[in-house]
C-alpha cells in the first residue's frame, strides 16, 4: 500500500466504540441466529449485490451493526473512501457516502 493511501485510510478510519467481550459475543450470536433463521442475508450475498455496482472502486471490507442489521461496505476510489450501508434483512442500499 502506498504511503498516501495508507495515510488517507488512517485519517478517515472511524474508531469503533469499545464493547465488553460479552457484548461482542452477544452481537455475534444475534447475527448468527438471525442468519440461521433466514432473517438476515449472508455477507457474501450482500457483497455479490453491491461490489459489482462499484466500478472503478477497490473493495476494502465491511463492518456489521448487529443491533440494526446493517452491513457497511467500504470502498476506495480515486483517493476517496466510500461507505455503502446495506439493510441486512432486505439487501437494499439504505445509505451511501462519497462518490
Amino acid at each position: 500500500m502506498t504511503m498516501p493511501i495508507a495515510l488517507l485510510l488512517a485519517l478517515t478510519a472511524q474508531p469503533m466504540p469499545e464493547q465488553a467481550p460479552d457484548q461482542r459475543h452477544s452481537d455475534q450470536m444475534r447475527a448468527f441466529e438471525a442468519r440461521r433463521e433466514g432473517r438476515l442475508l449472508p455477507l457474501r450475498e450482500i457483497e455479490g449485490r453491491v461490489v459489482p455496482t462499484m466500478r472503478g472502486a477497490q473493495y476494502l471490507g465491511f463492518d456489521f451493526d448487529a443491533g440494526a442489521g446493517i452491513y457497511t461496505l467500504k470502498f476506495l476510489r480515486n483517493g476517496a473512501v466510500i461507505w455503502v450501508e446495506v439493510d441486512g434483512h432486505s439487501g437494499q442500499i439504505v445509505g451511501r457516502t462519497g462518490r
Side-chain angles (χ1 to χ4, degrees):
M1 186 177 301
T2 65
M3 185 59 152
I5 292 174
L7 181 59
L8 174 67
L9 290 175
L11 292 174
T12 60
Q14 297 284 329
M16 295 295 292
E18 282 296 316
Q19 290 182 328
D22 289 342
Q23 179 63 39
R24 279 192 299 260
H25 179 72
S26 175
D27 287 348
Q28 291 172 350
M29 288 306 298
R30 286 192 329 207
F32 174 77
E33 289 296 323
R35 168 64 192 108
R36 192 177 74 184
E37 295 169 2
R39 295 181 287 120
L40 187 67
L41 295 170
L43 171 64
R44 300 300 170 230
E45 186 170 336
I46 297 292
E47 290 172 333
R49 293 179 182 194
V50 177
V51 172
T53 70
M54 299 296 294
R55 290 182 182 87
Q58 177 186 2
Y59 179 50
L60 301 175
F62 74 99
D63 286 328
F64 180 68
D65 180 342
I70 300 291
Y71 290 95
T72 302
L73 281 64
K74 298 177 184 181
F75 297 88
L76 182 65
R77 180 189 294 141
N78 299 326
V81 178
I82 303 165
W83 288 271
V84 178
E85 295 179 343
V86 181
D87 183 312
H89 306 286
S90 67
Q92 297 296 311
I93 293 174
V94 295
R96 179 182 169 141
T97 62
R99 295 188 184 264

